[in-house]
């Protein structure tokens, strides 16, 4: 499995955008049942998404 820096940056960027816009976690474009590359990019996307989504009741 090899994940390029471009793919990694794209997953981080789109995870951040989804989180900041309050999108559902199901917006993740990477399949949990995919190959190793898709699973790795899903993890990167999820981490970025969770880092940037507003917490309920925080007023953010």
């Amino acid at each position: 499995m090899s994940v390029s820096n471009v793919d990694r940056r794209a997953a981080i960027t789109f995870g951040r955008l989804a989180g900041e816009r309050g999108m559902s976690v199901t917006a993740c474009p990477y399949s949990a049942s995919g190959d190793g590359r898709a699973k790795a990019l899903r993890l990167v996307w999820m981490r970025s998404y969770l880092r940037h989504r507003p917490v309920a009741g925080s007023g953010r």
Side-chain angles (χ1 to χ4, degrees):
M1 171 195 68
S2 178
V3 176
S4 73
N5 283 335
V6 172
D7 288 341
R8 189 177 150 282
R9 291 298 314 156
I12 290 169
T13 299
F14 292 119
R16 175 179 54 83
L17 291 173
E20 289 174 348
R21 286 167 174 71
M23 295 172 71
S24 170
V25 72
T26 60
C28 180
Y30 305 103
S31 175
S33 61
D35 61 359
R37 180 182 166 279
K39 288 179 182 178
L41 289 171
R42 183 175 179 86
L43 178 63
V44 170
W45 189 96
M46 291 288 182
R47 285 179 176 169
S48 182
Y49 174 84
L50 291 171
R51 188 176 300 123
H52 293 96
R53 75 180 172 131
V55 178
S58 69
R60 276 191 2 174

